């Protein structure tokens, strides 16, 4: 069997906190324990939220924590054309449609839509649209029924791609064999497996780890500056102390 490949894939929307330290440790140690490698991937397709300053801080903080990763690091914002090709492939199979709706126009719960009957004139008028996966058409295509998914957005109006597309594309491209990530993302995995089937990509193994919560039992956020790796470091904690504090 080949080497196992895991990845740690943070988004540079703020400084890394204890939750990330634990997630990184999970991904890096699974690879290390099995003689494999752990990649670092920067998931920064959302230019409205990501900053290069935070990307450099990620390198610095992970390095201080003692992690080591192969170079070059994949930076997703540099590969939007590749992600667009995936949408085109699905479009050529007739599995996606343009959606002009705003968030407010969408119903709660499972969403299934249809191509807009006025799409030509709306395109001409310069209206922005997202591309959604049509679960009805996917069901016909796979000859399956009752898939428990909404018509998820695969290309957002504002950024032209989506987390699902970039993440699954890169996991396949980079030969990721084991996806190690938090239980908060577990509900998204089945949908990503569907995309992988449609694209003929391998389906990695998944390990969803527990989350490091704060004292109130809430998820840590990048706004909780008190748990950021760099503030703990500045307070004089050692790398090992920070890793110990990061355990859920
Ligand atoms: N970029 C995502 C995050 O920071 C990671 C998603 C994943 O590991 O698939 O939460």
């Amino acid at each position: 069997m080949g080497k196992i490949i895991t990845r740690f894939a943070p988004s540079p929307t703020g400084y890394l906190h204890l939750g990330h330290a634990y997630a990184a440790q999970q991904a890096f140690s699974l690879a290390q324990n099995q003689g494999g490698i752990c990649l670092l991937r920067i998931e920064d397709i959302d230019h409205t939220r990501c900053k290069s300053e935070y990307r450099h801080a990620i390198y610095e903080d992970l390095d201080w924590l003692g992690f080591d990763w192969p170079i070059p690091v994949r930076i997703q914002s540099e590969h939007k054309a590749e992600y667009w090709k995936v949408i085109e492939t699905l479009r050529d199979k007739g599995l996606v449609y343009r959606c002009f709706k705003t968030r407010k126009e969408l119903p709660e719960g499972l969403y299934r839509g249809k191509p807009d009957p006025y799409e030509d004139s709306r395109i001409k008028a310069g209206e922005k649209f997202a591309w959604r996966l049509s679960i009805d058409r996917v069901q016909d295509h796979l000859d399956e029924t009752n898939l428990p998914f909404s018509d998820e957005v695969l290309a957002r109006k504002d950024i032209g791609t989506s987390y699902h597309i970039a993440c699954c594309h890169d996991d396949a491209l980079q030969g990721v064999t084991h996806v190690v990530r938090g239980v908060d993302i577990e509900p998204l995995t089945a949908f990503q497996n569907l995309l992988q089937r449609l694209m003929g990509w391998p389906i990695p193994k998944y390990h969803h780890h527990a989350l490091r919560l704060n004292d109130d039992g809430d998820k840590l956020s990048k706004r909780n500056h008190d748990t950021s790796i760099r503030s703990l470091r500045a307070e004089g904690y050692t790398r090992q102390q920070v890793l110990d504090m990061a355990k859920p």
Side-chain angles (χ1 to χ4, degrees):
M1 235 183 65
K3 270 194 178 173
I4 82 157
I5 301 181
T6 66
R7 81 320 191 261
F8 177 56
S11 295
T13 55
Y15 295 120
L16 296 187
H17 54 59
L18 287 174
H20 297 105
Y22 183 69
Q25 192 178 35
Q26 291 287 300
F28 278 95
S29 64
L30 182 79
Q32 242 158 32
N33 294 342
Q34 303 200 25
I37 50 171
C38 181
L39 308 172
L40 172 63
R41 185 165 81 216
I42 301 294
E43 300 209 323
D44 62 344
I45 51 170
D46 185 349
H47 59 80
T48 66
R49 295 176 60 227
C50 297
K51 289 201 179 127
S52 66
E53 173 201 338
Y54 292 132
R55 171 161 58 88
H56 293 289
I58 287 172
Y59 300 150
E60 224 175 81
D61 292 343
L62 290 177
D63 184 53
W64 180 74
L65 285 169
F67 301 117
D68 194 14
W69 54 89
I71 300 285
V73 169
R74 185 159 174 97
I75 299 171
Q76 290 191 327
S77 58
E78 296 172 358
H79 300 280
K80 286 204 173 164
E82 290 165 61
Y83 308 137
W84 176 245
K85 285 216 175 89
V86 180
I87 309 284
E88 281 182 330
T89 303
L90 295 169
R91 188 181 64 186
D92 293 347
K93 293 183 202 269
L95 301 178
V96 294
Y97 63 93
R98 293 181 183 85
C99 174
F100 294 84
K101 291 198 184 337
T102 60
R103 200 165 288 181
K104 281 193 198 131
E105 290 173 311
L106 294 171
E108 301 249 327
L110 212 68
Y111 178 68
R112 299 284 173 81
K114 288 209 165 20
D116 189 302
Y118 304 107
E119 73 173 20
D120 288 345
S121 55
R122 299 184 82 158
I123 295 169
K124 263 198 210 117
E127 274 189 59
K128 292 218 177 342
F129 54 84
W131 288 94
R132 286 182 185 269
L133 187 67
S134 166
I135 297 296
D136 286 345
R137 297 204 210 151
V138 167
Q139 292 187 152
D140 288 346
H141 180 77
L142 295 175
D143 202 14
E144 282 178 32
T145 53
N146 300 323
L147 291 176
F149 305 109
S150 277
D151 287 359
E152 297 290 344
V153 170
L154 299 186
R156 278 168 43 177
K157 280 182 189 175
D158 55 347
I159 62 174
T161 183
S162 62
Y163 157 63
H164 287 306
I165 291 288
C167 170
C168 293
H169 174 276
D170 285 359
D171 284 340
L173 177 83
Q174 298 186 288
V176 170
T177 59
H178 292 64
V179 172
V180 178
R181 60 188 182 191
V183 286
D184 54 333
I185 305 182
E186 192 165 8
L188 308 181
T189 298
F191 180 77
Q192 295 190 355
N193 294 159
L194 178 66
L195 270 184
Q196 288 154 342
R197 281 179 68 193
L198 294 172
M199 290 301 296
W201 290 329
I203 298 189
K205 291 197 165 46
Y206 287 83
H207 170 68
H208 296 101
H209 60 75
L211 295 185
R212 168 67 165 75
L213 305 174
N214 67 19
D215 296 340
D216 300 329
D218 297 321
K219 232 176 97 172
L220 299 179
S221 87
K222 288 178 178 141
R223 287 175 293 274
N224 291 64
H225 297 295
D226 45 332
T227 64
S228 79
I229 311 298
R230 50 191 46 213
S231 61
L232 294 166
R233 176 184 176 185
E235 282 173 49
Y237 288 96
T238 65
R239 152 184 185 268
Q240 193 54 51
Q241 283 171 323
V242 171
L243 288 173
D244 288 342
M245 286 163 76
K247 292 201 181 104

